[in-house]
Amino acid sequence: MLRKNYYILSEGILKRKENTLYFVNNKGKKPIPINKIYSIYAYGQITFSSQVMSLLAKKGIPIHFFNYYGFYNGSYYPRETLLSGDLLVRQAEYYLNQPKRLELAKLFVEGAANNILKVLSYYKIENNVNEILMELNKTNKITEIMNVEGRIRSEYYSKFDEILPKEFKMEGRSRQPPKNMINSLISFGNSMMYSTVLTEIYNTQLNPTISYLHEPFERRFSLSLDLSEIFKPIFVDRLIFYLVNKKMITKKDFNQDLNCCLLNDSGRNKFIKEYNKRLEKTIKHKDLNKKVSYQRLIRLEAYKLKKHILGIKKYNPFVIWW
């Protein structure tokens, strides 16, 4: 059973007393059950000491930082304990070997597209995703693969207005900043997904900076971007449809002005609460023949990628079956 995430939702101070952490803000002082948490999500301005960081590093707990508006800023990634020089070399070889890299990049796009199709099928919405996906066979460059992926996403997002109520129309994808409520939810949810995947990668021997679909630039864990593509439709988008169509999130949960639309504290709290419930939800795994949490599915995906890189078993991207 995986430890639960612990979320810090407001500005405050992280303090350490011996082997216990406390979070202090205007609501008081609250102990953090460090032996039961998996990662920390810090929103707004959080103050902490090197002693706090030392304890978190000892326990192997990463902190994901989000700014006041809920956008991902970065992560504190404790020193890796699950090290494998052989795997690191193999990961780099796969990136440098163009055919091997192209194979994995295409598989990530296929996995994402098939999960997108599952979502659209659930809502009985006709689409051209399959037709665009077929063009993946003609690609022989990463830029061409990314172009196909972008067109699939564009087709997918164009169908959101058929799923959502009128007051939550998407009217195209907008980022940095999002222009309306749905774009705000997508950006926030994608940031959550990215940091969740990063936490799972941390608990494997994979190096999160070596990726295949996205370029491994400095100052980002791009392998998390690769794997996030597969899970965003079924984790983030389905959650958004659920929260909006059930009226669990309404216009009151956003701050809007002429230039952008952002979730307020109430909206973020609601989203995070339901997001965490999704991670803890369990299903019977068709291959393992036992119940696993949604969160565990992400870890299993990282293990599958590891086996592929080591030449043990060919990687097949996760596609929802229920």
Side-chain angles (χ1 to χ4, degrees), residues 3 6 8 13-24 28-41 46-63 76:
R3 291 178 291 176
Y6 185 91
I8 299 173
I13 303 172
L14 266 178
K15 293 186 175 183
R16 174 184 177 180
K17 184 176 182 181
E18 297 179 348
N19 287 322
T20 303
L21 285 183
Y22 295 91
F23 183 57
V24 183
K29 182 178 180 181
K30 184 177 182 179
I32 297 178
I34 197 165
N35 290 323
K36 295 181 180 180
I37 64 174
Y38 197 53
S39 59
I40 294 177
Y41 292 72
I46 308 295
T47 304
F48 50 86
S49 66
S50 59
Q51 291 179 321
V52 169
M53 301 300 283
S54 177
L55 181 58
L56 292 173
K58 180 180 178 182
K59 299 293 184 179
I61 300 173
I63 308 181
Y76 164 68

Side-chain angles (χ1 to χ4, degrees), residues 128-145:
N128 297 318
V129 171
N130 261 326
E131 288 80 353
I132 301 171
L133 182 61
M134 289 175 63
E135 297 181 25
L136 204 60
N137 296 325
K138 304 174 185 177
T139 60
N140 54 24
K141 295 179 182 178
I142 293 296
T143 51
E144 294 171 352
I145 296 173

